[in-house]
Amino acid sequence: MATLSFVAFSLCLLFFSLAQGLSNNPQCSEAKDQGSNLQVFHVYSPCSPFRPTKPMSWEESVLQMQADDQARLQFLSSLVAKKSVVPIASGRQIIQSPTYIVRAKIGTPPQTLLLAVDTSNDAAWVPCNGCVGCGSNVFNSAKSTTYKTLGCQTAQCKQVPNPTCLGSTCSFNTSYGSSTLAANLSQETFTLATDVVPGYTFGCLQKTTGSSVPPQGLLGLGRGPLSLLSQTQNLYQSTFSYCLPSFKSLNFSGSLRLGPVGQPKRIKYTPLLKNPRRSSLYYVNLNAIRVGRRIVDIPPAALAFNPTTGAGTIIDSGTVFTRLVEPAYVAVRNEFRRRVGKYPFQTLGGFDTCYSVPFVVPTITFMFSGMNVTLPEDNIVIHSTAGSITCLAMAAAPDNVNSVLNVIANMQQQNHRVLIDVPNSRLGVARERCT
Ligand SMILES: *[C@@H]1O[C@H](CO)[C@@H](O)[C@H](O)[C@H]1NC(C)=O
Ligand SMILES: *[C@@H]1O[C@H](CO)[C@@H](O)[C@H](O)[C@H]1NC(C)=O
Ligand SMILES: *[C@@H]1O[C@H](CO)[C@@H](O)[C@H](O)[C@H]1NC(C)=O
Ligand SMILES: *[C@@H]1O[C@H](CO)[C@@H](O)[C@H](O)[C@H]1NC(C)=O
């Protein structure tokens, strides 16, 4: 076993010990939000007010991210399965932990909030004045001239879960991970970068319980009803791309680019698949996985898309480390270990393939329909800059009945541009340094 005593690892130094706030770090400046381009930052970045105040060790932060993933995976599984069969388990501390945030200006005059972006959710919600259980940073609707609540008879009210009428206001309750939330269905002017979206329909939170709700709200980038894509079809034509910065980098200069303008021309595409049972998830066809030059032996059922069971592969921005269903992961891991060769491997938390000596990292290629994506080392292993331990940064999906989903997670997407092009039903990937 690796000794867990190595301390003050650069990751935690980078993450946690910088004292700059949002306002005085030029990298975090609002001026960087231009046109339809929003800066994206990691929730633990120096730009983020949500970074832990108490320094964490590398193990603590990585193990925390893994624990969050475990819960998110269960949540994603519960989305694809039949609702009646799989209730969301109660008592989980953190079911969802979207790890990247963008800045949105809400209302007239605008109030700035940092919303978590989540490609596997449709809704937008923001903590509002009068909210019980929200943090101190809320949107004050009383100070905006463009705020309005929606009535119970509106078409939008029929699209929210559990709508009820409070007076004439459409209000709804839902759960999000271990949290429950109650919100007024409202409309307001949202300004994303410098694009103004009037009359954006969102949930104005009035009550939350639990700790899963992102502190300043959520911007769902799924494609179901009431999502950003559905509400801005004229403006953005259901097209957006993002580049997620590495969580090791100081720059945190990722971006969310909305609309077809300015998207990369040189990019490889794979068809986007639709699961009618869960329209907001971005499914793709992962046909095979190559480790080095060898295509590993994975039973076809482990990768096959099946809208009925929810099986298949999704690209998700909220899970940190890629999870493959057991037979797929075992095949990848065994070949990875075989190629690394003579060194003994060890485990660290949920990672089962770690080494405490330097080694040549084999490449891993995801072979999607029409698109091979070969990951560079930075997207394959997580390691200490001191070099004391390096782990294959993937794991098997949680072992439960709904474990049918392969999730390509954000660590494996960092420093790539991922383009979602719904009109042409395709998803593009290109390398791009955004840190
Ligand atoms: C939410 O709706 C309730 C009931 O109509 C109302 O009392 C409250 O002021 C509303 N709050 C916001 C922020 O819209
Ligand atoms: C929603 O939550 C509020 C506040 O907790 C509660 O008063 C109301 O009855 C709930 N409505 C539904 C439909 O569950
Ligand atoms: C992906 O790589 C395989 C070889 O491993 C090759 O046969 C195939 O044509 C490639 N696919 C694309 C779309 O480039
Ligand atoms: C940060 O960005 C600057 C310029 O944008 C670049 O020169 C520098 O190498 C970047 N640093 C890191 C750690 O990526």
Side-chain angles (χ1 to χ4, degrees):
M1 267 314 282
T3 163
L4 295 187
S5 63
F6 55 92
V7 271
F9 186 104
S10 74
L11 198 59
C12 59
L13 286 180
L14 290 173
F15 270 14
F16 306 116
S17 62
L18 287 167
Q20 290 115 312
L22 252 179
S23 50
N24 55 15
N25 182 342
Q27 289 292 345
C28 312
S29 148
E30 280 191 37
K32 297 198 142 208
D33 289 339
Q34 278 299 325
S36 308
N37 264 298
L38 286 96
Q39 223 187 341
V40 176
F41 26 153
H42 194 272
V43 71
Y44 292 164
S45 107
C47 297
S48 169
F50 313 126
R51 64 190 187 280
T53 47
K54 216 168 96 262
M56 279 192 207
S57 71
W58 180 69
E59 283 80 11
E60 281 174 321
S61 62
V62 171
L63 297 180
Q64 181 60 51
M65 288 196 285
Q66 268 191 337
D68 294 355
D69 267 1
Q70 194 78 9
R72 183 174 173 89
L73 263 283
Q74 303 235 357
F75 176 80
L76 291 172
S77 303
S78 76
L79 293 183
V80 302
K82 287 191 216 85
K83 275 204 178 94
S84 53
V85 177
V86 190
I88 294 169
S90 61
R92 289 191 184 284
Q93 283 308 298
I94 313 160
I95 296 285
Q96 293 214 321
S97 60
T99 38
Y100 288 94
I101 47 184
V102 295
R103 197 184 277 111
K105 285 177 242 140
I106 303 170
T108 315
Q111 301 172 34
T112 300
L113 289 171
L114 293 168
L115 308 185
V117 288
D118 188 342
T119 55
S120 297
N121 262 280
D122 291 339
W125 345 290
V126 170
C128 282
N129 50 309
C131 178
V132 177
C134 294
S136 54
N137 223 323
V138 299
F139 168 66
N140 188 346
S141 63
K143 287 197 174 155
S144 172
T145 56
T146 41
Y147 177 78
K148 67 171 194 183
T149 53
L150 288 175
C152 307
Q153 302 312 319
T154 55
Q156 292 94 329
C157 193
K158 299 184 172 63
Q159 297 179 313
V160 297
N162 314 314
T164 46
C165 260
L166 289 179
S168 60
T169 304
C170 175
S171 122
F172 66 96
N173 290 358
T174 187
S175 58
Y176 185 76
S178 63
S179 291
T180 60
L181 51 90
N184 290 348
L185 190 64
S186 306
Q187 280 189 334
E188 183 52 288
T189 300
F190 273 49
T191 306
L192 299 169
T194 48
D195 292 342
V196 177
V197 185
Y200 194 82
T201 302
F202 72 107
C204 200
L205 295 176
Q206 292 297 288
K207 185 173 177 186
T208 67
T209 62
S211 57
S212 299
V213 175
Q216 294 187 21
L218 182 101
L219 186 64
L221 295 176
R223 55 174 157 170
L226 291 185
S227 67
L228 178 69
L229 290 200
S230 307
Q231 292 195 54
T232 58
Q233 245 162 28
N234 292 337
L235 187 59
Y236 298 134
Q237 290 155 42
S238 300
T239 305
F240 69 95
S241 72
Y242 58 85
C243 183
L244 303 176
S246 156
F247 43 68
K248 283 192 298 194
S249 167
L250 266 177
N251 275 351
F252 301 97
S253 50
S255 65
L256 172 64
R257 191 175 295 154
L258 299 162
V261 177
Q263 299 297 357
K265 300 271 183 297
R266 286 167 57 99
I267 190 162
K268 291 186 280 187
Y269 288 104
T270 187
L272 206 47
L273 309 178
K274 218 171 185 169
N275 180 344
R277 286 171 182 273
R278 192 54 200 175
S279 56
S280 46
L281 300 179
Y282 292 110
Y283 277 90
V284 289
N285 243 331
L286 176 63
N287 299 318
I289 304 175
R290 212 165 59 200
V291 178
R293 283 208 295 229
R294 178 182 292 189
I295 296 172
V296 300
D297 201 5
I298 299 173
L303 299 178
F305 174 61
N306 181 338
T308 308
T309 60
T313 302
I314 64 165
I315 307 279
D316 180 43
S317 67
T319 308
V320 182
F321 302 109
T322 289
R323 299 298 186 118
L324 302 173
V325 299
E326 180 96 18
Y329 177 70
V330 168
V332 168
R333 175 202 69 191
N334 288 353
E335 181 62 13
F336 186 94
R337 287 179 182 169
R338 199 187 65 78
R339 295 191 79 90
V340 172
K342 56 186 181 292
Y343 307 115
F345 59 84
Q346 56 203 40
T347 63
L348 177 67
F351 296 126
D352 65 5
T353 301
C354 300
Y355 298 90
S356 54
V357 290
F359 64 97
V360 178
V361 177
T363 60
I364 293 182
T365 303
F366 291 124
M367 301 170 72
F368 300 102
S369 297
M371 172 177 89
N372 291 339
V373 177
T374 298
L375 299 178
E377 183 172 333
D378 284 350
N379 297 105
I380 298 176
V381 291
I382 181 159
H383 52 114
S384 66
T385 46
S388 31
I389 195 162
T390 301
C391 299
L392 172 62
M394 298 183 192
D399 190 16
N400 65 38
V401 283
N402 301 310
S403 190
V404 292
L405 198 58
N406 298 294
V407 179
I408 309 293
N410 67 42
M411 155 114 199
Q412 277 65 43
Q413 296 174 53
Q414 287 167 8
N415 286 312
H416 287 78
R417 182 151 298 271
V418 176
L419 172 60
I420 306 284
D421 176 355
V422 175
N424 295 304
S425 286
R426 58 188 188 171
L427 180 148
V429 177
R431 280 263 189 112
E432 177 179 319
R433 267 189 70 81
C434 59
T435 52

